[in-house]
Amino acid sequence: MEVVNAQEKFELSVSTAYQQDNFQWSIAGNAIGTNPNVYSELTWKNLSGPALQVSFQAKVWKAVFIKASLNHSLILKGNANDTDYSEDNRTNPIFEANEQSNKGNTDNYILATGYDFKNKVFSISPYLGYEKSSQLMFLLDENIKELNTSYKAKWSGALLGFKTDAVIKKGFYVQTDLAYHQIKYAAEANWNLIEKFAHPVSFKHTADGFGLEGMLKAGYTIYKSLATYLYVQKSFWNTGAGIDELFYNNGNIAYTKLNQVERKSQNLGLGIKFSF
């Protein structure tokens, strides 16, 4: 097993996974966060489907490396809840709808550079980079064919991480990867059945936040440069307070407080790696 062999200059990995996301945001009744403090709240749960990930890592100078990855997943099942309140702290609901959310997708891109500190059986590799993650989600109802409400979210910003790589015994290895993200959040929505809203952009959300990601991978080298692996990955994304910018069809614009946005994601997958 040569997971940390200094002679390996290039790694290419391809994996497939089952991905599941939970997503939530809320706004207040006005720009200062009152009247009420939670006026409208959207929650998507169990957004799940298959994912495909391609990643590579290449040595560019001695122990300095670059790495990049692309993850694309489909949303094939899920549900959503839309609730409005007239009083503070989610009391006295005045509207509630439970909808389907069985279409959409997510994409994730990472580009980073780092340095390997290693010996024959163990390495630790800090890295810096940039990540962009996007989600396209819907509110749907089989009884209301015209309903096609959409919400597109983008998380992007710098990341700081480190990965470890350890040989357990001949042929078997374990890898970890932990990262912190400082992010900018931006979203656009089309509430297609509300006539007083503008279309195709009914409102926008902007905020600053952070993200945490962790991955655990266990693999086995089949023959020299060929290995298989299983992995589990979890992530948590959260924003602070931001701005909800609402567009009306008469050209007027209204502003309210975006309380926060929260996303939780997890992947369980298997893959194959080529090392040269």
Side-chain angles (χ1 to χ4, degrees):
M1 173 60 194
E2 296 293 345
V3 172
V4 293
N5 190 329
Q7 299 303 313
E8 292 179 353
K9 302 296 185 180
F10 184 84
E11 293 181 359
L12 174 67
S13 299
V14 180
S15 65
T16 183
Y18 181 79
Q19 180 165 316
Q20 184 180 72
D21 282 74
N22 293 319
F23 187 92
Q24 182 179 40
W25 59 260
S26 71
I27 60 172
N30 57 35
I32 62 174
T34 61
N35 194 37
N37 57 7
V38 178
Y39 168 66
S40 184
E41 186 167 53
L42 272 291
T43 303
W44 283 265
K45 291 185 177 181
N46 301 318
L47 302 175
S48 54
L52 176 66
Q53 179 170 292
V54 179
S55 60
F56 82 89
Q57 178 172 310
K59 293 287 180 61
V60 293
W61 182 72
K62 295 184 178 181
V64 178
F65 64 87
I66 59 171
K67 70 171 188 171
S69 67
L70 165 63
N71 181 288
H72 177 74
S73 68
L74 299 176
I75 297 173
L76 300 182
K77 60 182 293 188
N79 55 77
N81 176 269
D82 181 359
T83 304
D84 296 342
Y85 304 93
S86 64
E87 302 292 338
D88 284 347
N89 303 318
R90 298 178 176 85
T91 56
N92 195 20
I94 55 176
F95 171 83
E96 183 173 12
N98 292 302
E99 311 291 358
Q100 296 173 331
S101 189
N102 54 6
K103 75 173 184 177
N105 60 76
T106 66
D107 289 288
N108 196 71
Y109 311 88
I110 294 177
L111 180 63
T113 183
Y115 190 92
D116 280 334
F117 298 93
K118 63 174 62 180
N119 57 35
K120 290 184 178 180
V121 296
F122 181 78
S123 73
I124 182 168
S125 308
Y127 60 88
L128 291 169
Y130 176 84
E131 180 167 4
K132 181 178 180 180
S133 182
S134 63
Q135 301 167 273
L136 177 60
M137 298 167 288
F138 289 86
L139 299 178
L140 306 167
D141 192 323
E142 61 183 12
N143 298 316
I144 308 175
K145 301 301 183 182
E146 299 82 6
L147 181 63
N148 194 38
T149 291
S150 64
Y151 187 85
K152 187 171 185 179
K154 294 182 179 180
W155 311 74
S156 59
L159 65 90
L160 170 65
F162 70 91
K163 60 187 184 75
T164 66
D165 199 334
V167 177
I168 304 303
K169 59 184 298 185
K170 186 175 182 180
F172 290 94
Y173 65 94
V174 173
Q175 296 176 337
T176 65
D177 197 333
L178 301 174
Y180 170 82
H181 307 261
Q182 192 65 40
I183 61 97
K184 295 284 187 181
Y185 178 80
E188 291 185 354
N190 183 11
W191 256 225
N192 73 301
L193 292 187
I194 300 183
E195 295 182 358
K196 66 179 181 179
F197 289 174
H199 306 288
V201 180
S202 302
F203 59 87
K204 293 182 179 181
H205 288 161
T206 54
D208 294 330
F210 72 94
L212 299 172
E213 289 187 303
M215 184 272 293
L216 175 64
K217 179 188 296 184
Y220 178 75
T221 298
I222 301 172
Y223 178 74
K224 293 184 178 180
S225 62
L226 180 64
T228 60
Y229 59 88
L230 298 172
Y231 74 94
V232 59
Q233 183 173 359
K234 291 193 174 185
S235 62
F236 173 79
W237 307 74
N238 184 266
T239 75
I243 299 172
D244 171 270
E245 187 176 9
L246 176 62
F247 304 97
Y248 291 98
N249 61 10
N250 62 6
N252 290 338
I253 302 175
Y255 297 90
T256 59
K257 178 184 177 182
L258 174 66
N259 291 321
Q260 71 167 5
V261 184
E262 182 179 285
R263 173 189 178 188
K264 296 178 181 179
S265 180
Q266 56 187 2
N267 286 30
L268 178 62
L270 56 88
I272 188 167
K273 182 180 73 171
F274 304 91
S275 303
F276 306 95

